[in-house]
Amino acid sequence: MRKTQNRLKIILVLGLLLFTTFACKKECFPEKESFTYVPCDVKFGNTSSNSTILPTTEFDNIQFFYPVFNPNDPNEFIYVFENKILGLRYLLKYNFTTKQKQTLIDNIDMSYNNEPFWSQLNFITYFDKKIKSDGTTILYNENQYGYNTNWFVTEKEVVWHKGECLLKKNINQNIIDTLVVDIISKVNISSKGIGLVNYGFAILFRDLNSVSKITTLDFTIDTTFPAGTKPGLCWHPDGTKFYVSLVTDYENSGIYEVEYPSFKARKIVQSCDKRIYKYLSCSPTGNYLLCEGIDRDPKLDNQGNFSGEIAGKSNIYLINIQTSEEIKLDL
């Protein structure tokens, strides 16, 4: 009888643990009551709607940037932390459920300014390392490809950019295909194999599945949006839409959701002089965005007037795609 009762207790405990684990595999994010949302409608300089958002002239010594969701678990993401005073930069992993942080890579070169990549095959590439998602094993210590490395479809095929070229290679072969020759700053691969490339002011699309070498320009997003920098680009997990952050004039700056291939767009979040948005990552559920938001304050002269200089600090924001609600994460 006692053994039967003990077995029942064990089964109940295990069941509760499994239920909790399964429940939080969906999304266990901070409650919206735990933050105060301040609409971004502040202007420091020219107040006309077509005036350009002013640039950040000075950055805080503590920065949080380059957030990337775990493609297999919406409750985990990685980001880069920087302490300029100590000259330190780390790649960290954060878990929403446990609220625990884990250092994955330390002593990162302060001049290295690229986003990390998290593969559905459960490994992360950043700086000069490729590591498992749990951070336990370093698989290589040499950046043999270049910046912005993306493993495409399988672990045997890699797409990356180096210099001004977008390149593709099967790691079992020595042949490298050049997909794009241009000034490239970001590569992002959708679930349908479409390459999304930002080269300054435009976004290009390449079907990386159709042929090994593509030279035609399929679309430029500047036919939809005005000119401006587009630092943030990411796909929705189903490959039917993508997200872009745009920094230009007051009326058009913000984060957009763009349907693919119709390119019908809607603005999710508005930018302003008080806060602009940069790097983006969509959750594997497709419900949330992580983004780097730069919170900014005007610097005043001796008379208390705006001096024209703006001090900024990069923070990580969690954005509900449907409601546009934002949570500034306390990391």
Side-chain angles (χ1 to χ4, degrees):
M1 182 68 178
R2 183 173 295 178
K3 288 184 178 179
T4 302
Q5 290 177 339
N6 289 337
R7 287 174 182 171
L8 287 173
K9 288 180 181 179
I10 292 172
I11 291 172
L12 286 172
V13 170
L14 290 174
L16 182 61
L17 288 172
L18 287 172
F19 173 79
T20 303
T21 301
F22 176 78
C24 280
K25 272 293 182 183
K26 187 179 180 183
E27 286 157 346
C28 294
F29 295 152
E31 297 294 332
K32 66 179 183 179
E33 289 79 9
S34 65
F35 74 100
T36 301
Y37 172 64
V38 180
C40 194
D41 55 5
V42 179
K43 298 176 181 178
F44 301 152
N46 191 325
T47 58
S48 62
S49 62
N50 62 351
S51 60
T52 302
I53 287 183
L54 298 174
T56 307
T57 57
E58 178 182 312
F59 283 92
D60 192 82
N61 290 318
I62 303 297
Q63 302 288 330
F64 303 87
F65 39 68
Y66 302 141
V68 177
F69 267 113
N70 182 339
N72 300 310
D73 184 353
N75 294 301
E76 284 190 335
F77 71 94
I78 53 177
Y79 65 97
V80 174
F81 168 77
E82 180 180 277
N83 186 323
K84 290 185 177 180
I85 296 177
L86 300 178
L88 299 175
R89 181 178 286 188
Y90 301 96
L91 180 68
L92 302 171
K93 181 172 70 172
Y94 182 81
N95 188 291
F96 283 109
T97 306
T98 64
K99 297 180 174 57
Q100 296 296 311
K101 289 186 284 188
Q102 178 186 1
T103 300
L104 300 179
I105 305 176
D106 56 12
N107 298 320
I108 298 171
D109 189 334
M110 295 285 283
S111 65
Y112 184 78
N113 293 311
N114 287 277
E115 296 173 77
F117 171 72
W118 201 331
S119 168
Q120 288 184 319
L121 301 171
N122 279 314
F123 61 82
I124 298 163
T125 54
Y126 189 64
F127 190 41
D128 61 350
K129 293 179 174 63
K130 175 183 173 186
I131 61 177
K132 289 185 178 180
S133 293
D134 60 10
T136 56
T137 305
I138 296 177
L139 301 179
Y140 70 76
N141 294 304
E142 179 184 3
N143 190 344
Q144 56 184 307
Y145 296 113
Y147 300 126
N148 243 341
T149 303
N150 281 242
W151 259 256
F152 173 58
V153 183
T154 71
E155 194 172 351
K156 294 182 179 180
E157 197 166 28
V158 61
V159 176
W160 78 102
H161 84 258
K162 193 168 187 178
E164 296 183 354
C165 296
L166 177 62
L167 306 171
K168 177 182 175 182
K169 176 186 176 183
N170 186 304
I171 62 174
N172 294 326
Q173 301 173 356
N174 293 321
I175 300 174
I176 297 178
D177 292 320
T178 301
L179 301 179
V180 181
V181 179
D182 226 316
I183 301 172
I184 296 171
S185 61
K186 182 175 176 62
V187 181
N188 203 293
I189 308 299
S190 81
S191 59
K192 297 185 178 181
I194 306 296
L196 185 63
V197 181
N198 173 17
Y199 74 115
F201 296 93
I203 298 174
L204 316 179
F205 296 84
R206 297 288 188 274
D207 187 339
L208 302 177
N209 281 318
S210 59
V211 292
S212 62
K213 185 175 182 179
I214 301 173
T215 57
T216 58
L217 172 63
D218 300 320
F219 181 78
T220 263
I221 203 170
D222 288 318
T223 60
T224 302
F225 298 132
T229 58
K230 302 171 181 68
L233 297 166
C234 70
W235 283 96
H236 187 279
D238 67 8
T240 63
K241 59 182 74 77
F242 64 92
Y243 302 92
V244 55
S245 60
L246 179 65
V247 183
T248 177
D249 57 72
Y250 282 111
E251 183 178 355
N252 293 288
S253 292
I255 299 175
Y256 289 83
E257 179 182 76
V258 185
E259 296 178 3
Y260 184 83
S262 70
F263 301 106
K264 180 180 179 181
R266 74 177 181 94
K267 185 185 289 186
I268 299 174
V269 177
Q270 174 69 43
S271 294
C272 67
D273 269 340
K274 184 67 176 176
R275 182 165 62 252
I276 61 174
Y277 302 93
K278 295 186 68 177
Y279 302 98
L280 307 174
S281 178
C282 186
S283 69
T285 61
N287 298 323
Y288 289 86
L289 290 175
L290 279 171
C291 77
E292 176 186 336
I294 302 179
D295 295 301
R296 300 156 12 121
D297 291 301
K299 300 188 73 174
L300 306 180
D301 58 23
N302 295 332
Q303 286 72 43
N305 300 315
F306 176 46
S307 67
E309 296 185 345
I310 298 176
K313 179 178 180 179
S314 291
N315 292 291
I316 307 298
Y317 280 83
L318 181 70
I319 299 176
N320 186 309
I321 292 174
Q322 295 304 316
T323 66
S324 299
E325 291 178 325
E326 299 175 82
I327 298 176
K328 180 179 175 181
L329 300 180
D330 184 12
L331 299 171

